[in-house]
Amino acid sequence: MSTTKRVITASVCIGLLVSLLHIFFCDDVYDDIAAYYGPMAAAFNRGDWDVAFLLEVPVLNTTMGGLLTLCGLHPFTALMIVSCFFYLAAIPLVYILGKHFLKRDDYAAWGVFIYIVAPKIIRFSCTGLLNSSRNFFVLCAAVLVLLSATKTKWWKSASLKNAQPK
């Protein structure tokens, strides 16, 4: 197994471990979660749509968390699962950007490792806040812009079929 694959595999395993530790053992609730996101996810479970879809708050994470509360999860746990999902989903995007700018697979893999173990990324991406989805979509937009600059067909870029820039 190459160094790149080992580093990526280790990064994914560490990301999963960090996510599971947060989901099962984190009890540090930020004020935003306690005041807005948690009650919005709980309101989604109750069917109280006026509270579930507040206009002042982005609703993607809270709606996804609300769907998980329908399965019987606590709103805080559901929001942490959604946050951890976006935290882990950003791994291939960080790799693609790293490979494009650093021009080496192993450097890109180490960039993914640094992303996964960065304390501020972990702190704000695994606790139920909206930061992980924001990071994911910013990275996704950067990758799509990068791919649209290298490809002539926009639908090829949007499909991420050939996600490795040349």
Side-chain angles (χ1 to χ4, degrees):
M1 182 184 266
S2 70
T3 304
T4 302
K5 288 182 181 179
R6 278 187 271 177
V7 171
I8 294 288
T9 303
S11 299
V12 170
C13 290
I14 291 169
L16 284 170
L17 179 65
V18 166
S19 296
L20 289 173
L21 288 173
H22 270 85
I23 291 167
F24 289 116
F25 298 113
C26 181
D27 60 354
D28 184 24
V29 181
Y30 285 94
D31 292 339
D32 291 347
I33 299 167
Y36 292 104
Y37 314 141
M40 288 172 69
F44 189 94
N45 188 15
R46 293 189 310 269
D48 185 3
W49 308 122
D50 291 334
V51 176
F53 297 109
L54 290 175
L55 295 178
E56 303 88 27
V57 179
V59 295
L60 177 66
N61 285 33
T62 56
T63 302
M64 291 174 71
L67 291 172
L68 290 174
T69 61
L70 292 175
C71 299
L73 291 174
H74 188 273
F76 179 55
T77 304
L79 289 169
M80 281 196 301
I81 290 171
V82 172
S83 290
C84 290
F85 168 76
F86 283 117
Y87 167 67
L88 294 171
I91 290 174
L93 301 174
V94 171
Y95 179 76
I96 291 168
L97 286 173
K99 185 173 179 182
H100 176 75
F101 289 112
L102 301 173
K103 306 292 187 212
R104 287 185 52 179
D105 290 344
D106 55 341
Y107 288 177
W110 283 109
V112 168
F113 181 79
I114 290 169
Y115 166 80
I116 285 295
V117 299
K120 285 214 179 213
I121 298 289
I122 293 171
R123 179 178 174 201
F124 293 118
S125 293
C126 296
T127 54
L129 294 171
L130 306 180
N131 295 26
S132 61
S133 60
R134 179 203 59 203
N135 293 346
F136 172 80
F137 286 111
V138 166
L139 289 168
C140 192
V143 167
L144 288 174
V145 166
L146 176 70
L147 293 176
S148 68
T150 59
K151 306 270 187 241
T152 56
K153 307 283 188 225
W154 68 270
W155 57 85
K156 288 183 182 178
S157 296
S159 71
L160 292 176
K161 182 177 180 183
N162 299 321
Q164 300 300 325
K166 295 179 182 172

